[in-house]
Amino acid sequence: MVELLRGRVQAGKGDASHWLHLFNAAYSRKLRMPVYPGSLNLALDHAFDWFATRHAGNVIWFGREEYGGERDILMLPCELVDFDRRRAFLWTPTTAARNRSDPWVVELICEVKLRETCGLEDGDIVALALSVDAVD
């Protein structure tokens, strides 16, 4: 099954770019692809539940002991529907997945800078396709 999400591009704080740059080689090894050191923030129209059973079989756990960081990371494969189904990943530290002040915001990582490559600006709508195990 496929879950379709739509989110509005919004500015981030730049935190992800620091960590993705610092541990870029480890992320690239884990995902078996180059990873651009930055993320694209999308505001969904609803909260995203990283721990929903429909995502359990697809979430990639990246433990801090595996890459040398301070936090465990969750990643979820997805495709950018309107951009040639480009492969990307939802990305979050586990602390944010459990207790984020804005749980409707998701961050995307990819092998390219999505804003430039896809011509995205704040306010643009991006559609994502996620493989899911079953509906909760």
Side-chain angles (χ1 to χ4, degrees), residues 1 16 27 39-40 43 46 55 82 115 125 132 136:
M1 292 178 69
Y27 276 99
S39 68
L40 180 73
H46 62 281
H55 301 302
D82 300 322
R115 279 184 181 269
I125 301 295
V132 294
D136 290 329

Side-chain angles (χ1 to χ4, degrees), residues 2 5 10 50 55 61 65 77-78 95 106 109-110 112 126 128 131-133:
V2 174
L5 299 177
Q10 70 175 30
W50 279 89
H55 301 302
W61 179 275
E65 67 286 342
C78 62
T95 51
V106 295
I109 62 172
C110 189
V112 296
V126 175
L128 309 173
S131 293
V132 294
D133 295 330

Side-chain angles (χ1 to χ4, degrees), residues 66-117:
E66 186 176 351
Y67 73 97
E70 298 175 2
R71 293 184 173 87
D72 297 327
I73 303 295
L74 300 176
M75 296 177 282
L76 190 58
C78 62
E79 292 180 337
L80 304 178
V81 174
D82 300 322
F83 301 100
D84 297 324
R85 303 201 72 83
R86 181 182 289 278
R87 182 177 177 214
F89 294 84
L90 297 181
W91 176 92
T92 190
T94 55
T95 51
R98 289 187 183 100
N99 190 22
R100 187 173 175 128
S101 61
D102 52 359
W104 57 89
V105 174
V106 295
E107 293 184 67
L108 281 177
I109 62 172
C110 189
E111 83 277 11
V112 296
K113 185 173 185 177
L114 290 168
R115 279 184 181 269
E116 287 181 7
T117 303

Side-chain angles (χ1 to χ4, degrees), residues 23-73:
F23 299 109
N24 194 269
Y27 276 99
S28 295
R29 276 192 307 275
K30 182 71 171 181
L31 298 177
R32 296 187 176 115
M33 64 180 251
V35 175
Y36 175 79
S39 68
L40 180 73
N41 288 22
L42 297 179
L44 307 175
D45 61 0
H46 62 281
F48 184 78
D49 182 2
W50 279 89
F51 303 102
T53 55
R54 68 184 177 275
H55 301 302
N58 296 307
V59 169
I60 299 166
W61 179 275
F62 198 24
R64 60 182 164 241
E65 67 286 342
E66 186 176 351
Y67 73 97
E70 298 175 2
R71 293 184 173 87
D72 297 327
I73 303 295

Side-chain angles (χ1 to χ4, degrees), residues 9-29:
V9 175
Q10 70 175 30
K13 299 174 188 171
D15 292 340
S17 64
H18 171 75
W19 299 111
L20 291 166
H21 176 75
L22 187 62
F23 299 109
N24 194 269
Y27 276 99
S28 295
R29 276 192 307 275

